[in-house]
Amino acid sequence: MIEPARIEGLLKDTIASPELRQFVLVAGLLAIAWIVGLLGRLFLHRVVRVATRHTAWRWDDALYEYGTFRWLARMLPAIVVYYGIALLMPVAEDSIGALVRNVAVCWMIVCVIAAMARALLAFESLYSATPAGKRSIKGVVQLLQLALWIVALVLVVTKLTHQSIGLLLSGIGAMSAVLLLVFKDTILGFVAGIQLSTNDMLRVGDWITMASAGVDGDVIDITLHTVKVRNFDRTIVTVPTWKLIGESFQNWRGMTESGGRRIKRELFVDAACVRFLDEEELERFGKVHLLKAYLERKREDIRRWNEALGEPGKLPVNRRRQTNIGAFRAYAEAYLAAHPDVHDKMTRMVRMRDPGAQGIPLEVYCFTNTVVWLDYERIQADIFDHLIAILPEFGLRPFQQPSGGDVREGVAALHTSLATEG
């Protein structure tokens, strides 16, 4: 081993200027550090990478891919400089040596903190690949990374300024109001992220709707500050995490997990066409297989009711009779029950809503046995195609506002009538 005194003697024989000798020593040390760093990177690429590929573990691959080992390898030049400058202390000024050592320590702190931050990203990646990974922890990981870098900043500042950590922290405490203002969004995002995760309110892949923020699509990312949503029109909307807690949003996950999607749509029937059914119509409807059991049961129920009335039951106004809209409603319910694409374990009904200016609303309420959007729309359209087309069989017609064609036909019919009379 070459002693520092011998190094000093050799340099004095060749270089007369002390400043130039110090420069040569430091430059040589930096060159050695660079060579060590280069060898470390080669070792990392040639040996560590091959080793991680040949193991059955996944965590070492994740650590390598996210750069944890690379940041640890970047410490090697700083270690060489730190111990090398101590070797050169007899020939280097104390102030220069101390400064170089402090800078080397600061770089080692940065490398360690960066490696830990990258390890957190690797852990988050492994977690997201598990079944529990639908609950995003990216916000927590980002907060931990922020805390690590704050620790790194405090350590670096204390090392360079030679101040105690307690004194520095007391100064930071005096600036707490300013720090709260600076990190307001971070604090709000962290609290909101904890609430979203704890209550399982939001996961990556959920379909959410939030009209106030223009959100209607799938969640693709949840971070400390924001939630990123891809709308169905392929646009990307970024919503602050705290906004999802401060305001209400609709999560369609329950629908997806249930396996059925709700159909809730009204069919408007013209009130003027509602009437009682005569015997001939009852006989004809009795041959419809979806209505046969209902009509037999209903006719027996009405017969007993009317017989119980006695003499007053002879008046039509006192008697119960079957209506065409009631028969249609029963047919629609039986049609839904027999439909192969309607969920048979969920609520299924056809109900009459309050009549209004647009006629009598008949609401079809049921669930499809699929949650796929395209299939859902197809099933819903098929159901209403059939119900609208079969309305005339019951003497009913759908209600709609008069169009221009209706007005022209009415005017033409009036002219024809007037011309005939004239």
Side-chain angles (χ1 to χ4, degrees):
M1 180 177 179
I2 301 177
E3 298 181 355
R6 183 171 180 79
I7 297 175
E8 182 180 12
L10 292 173
L11 289 176
K12 282 183 178 181
D13 294 339
T14 55
I15 303 175
S17 173
E19 292 79 6
L20 185 57
R21 287 199 302 272
Q22 291 177 7
F23 175 77
V24 171
L25 288 171
V26 173
L29 181 61
L30 293 177
I32 295 173
W34 179 80
I35 294 173
V36 171
L38 180 62
L39 293 176
R41 289 194 295 272
L42 290 175
F43 176 80
L44 181 71
H45 180 71
R46 298 289 178 86
V47 179
V48 176
R49 181 51 180 158
V50 174
T52 56
R53 286 180 175 178
H54 286 80
T55 61
W57 304 316
R58 296 175 53 198
W59 59 266
D60 54 352
D61 296 282
L63 291 175
Y64 182 87
E65 293 296 332
Y66 280 88
T68 303
F69 298 135
R70 284 196 296 273
W71 278 103
L72 292 177
R74 287 169 184 166
M75 291 176 56
L76 295 176
I79 295 174
V80 171
V81 170
Y82 181 82
Y83 288 103
I85 202 67
L87 182 66
L88 298 177
M89 279 296 296
V91 295
E93 294 292 336
D94 290 345
S95 59
I96 298 177
L99 177 61
V100 173
R101 284 197 302 272
N102 288 339
V103 172
V105 170
C106 291
W107 178 247
M108 285 189 281
I109 292 173
V110 170
C111 290
V112 171
I113 295 299
M116 294 174 65
R118 293 292 177 170
L120 286 174
L121 289 178
F123 172 76
E124 192 270 334
S125 174
L126 294 174
Y127 171 80
S128 62
T130 63
K134 291 184 177 180
R135 293 190 180 187
S136 177
I137 61 170
K138 182 173 289 188
V140 178
V141 169
Q142 289 179 336
L143 184 67
L144 292 175
Q145 287 180 319
L146 178 62
L148 286 174
W149 284 114
I150 291 176
V151 171
L153 178 63
V154 171
L155 293 176
V156 168
V157 171
T158 55
K159 191 65 179 177
L160 293 178
T161 60
H162 302 287
Q163 299 292 333
S164 66
I165 296 180
L167 181 62
L168 186 61
L169 292 178
S170 65
I172 295 176
M175 298 175 60
S176 58
V178 177
L179 292 176
L180 288 175
L181 182 62
V182 171
F183 293 103
K184 180 189 70 173
D185 291 340
T186 300
I187 296 172
L188 290 175
F190 172 68
V191 175
I194 292 297
Q195 291 179 335
L196 290 174
S197 178
T198 302
N199 299 320
D200 197 17
M201 298 169 62
L202 196 65
R203 301 177 187 171
V204 174
D206 284 354
W207 168 20
I208 65 171
T209 303
M210 190 177 186
S212 62
V215 170
D216 185 17
D218 299 325
V219 176
I220 58 177
D221 195 18
I222 302 174
T223 65
L224 179 60
H225 297 96
T226 59
V227 173
K228 192 177 294 184
V229 181
R230 179 187 289 114
N231 284 342
F232 295 128
D233 59 2
R234 314 313 294 174
T235 58
I236 304 295
V237 179
T238 302
V239 185
T241 308
W242 58 264
K243 191 177 181 69
L244 294 172
I245 297 296
E247 301 179 16
S248 62
F249 68 95
Q250 187 174 15
N251 192 328
W252 295 81
R253 188 201 312 155
M255 178 270 294
T256 304
E257 293 177 346
S258 69
R261 185 171 178 181
R262 186 182 69 175
I263 295 176
K264 185 176 182 289
R265 182 178 291 184
E266 292 177 341
L267 175 64
F268 293 92
V269 176
D270 192 344
C273 61
V274 177
R275 57 178 174 79
F276 293 112
L277 294 175
D278 56 31
E279 288 298 325
E280 181 182 350
E281 290 173 319
L282 289 173
E283 289 295 332
R284 178 164 59 87
F285 288 144
K287 299 177 182 179
V288 179
H289 74 280
L290 291 178
L291 280 177
K292 183 176 181 180
Y294 166 78
L295 288 178
E296 290 177 354
R297 185 176 65 254
K298 196 69 175 178
R299 292 180 74 171
E300 181 63 22
D301 182 43
I302 291 175
R303 184 187 63 78
R304 289 197 301 267
W305 172 277
N306 293 334
E307 288 179 354
L309 291 176
E311 189 66 23
K314 296 180 180 181
L315 293 175
V317 70
N318 292 329
R319 297 172 62 86
R320 283 182 61 188
R321 286 177 287 177
Q322 180 68 50
T323 63
N324 58 347
I325 194 171
F328 173 77
R329 189 159 42 83
Y331 174 84
E333 290 178 350
Y335 176 76
L336 293 178
H339 200 290
D341 294 322
V342 174
H343 208 297
D344 58 353
K345 297 294 191 300
M346 296 185 178
T347 305
R348 183 180 62 240
M349 64 179 174
V350 178
R351 59 175 178 167
M352 183 184 295
R353 306 300 299 272
D354 295 338
Q358 294 183 332
I360 302 175
L362 292 179
E363 184 181 80
V364 175
Y365 191 101
C366 63
F367 291 81
T368 63
N369 57 11
T370 178
V371 297
V372 179
W373 191 6
L374 293 177
D375 294 338
Y376 165 78
E377 294 294 346
R378 174 186 57 78
I379 295 168
Q380 182 174 234
D382 288 345
I383 290 174
F384 277 87
D385 286 349
H386 180 78
L387 294 181
I388 292 173
I390 207 169
L391 273 176
E393 295 291 332
F394 293 85
L396 299 170
R397 59 178 177 269
F399 180 89
Q400 64 180 15
Q401 298 291 341
S403 65
D406 296 328
V407 174
R408 285 194 295 271
E409 290 179 2
V411 172
L414 179 62
H415 285 171
T416 302
S417 177
L418 292 175
T420 303
E421 292 178 359

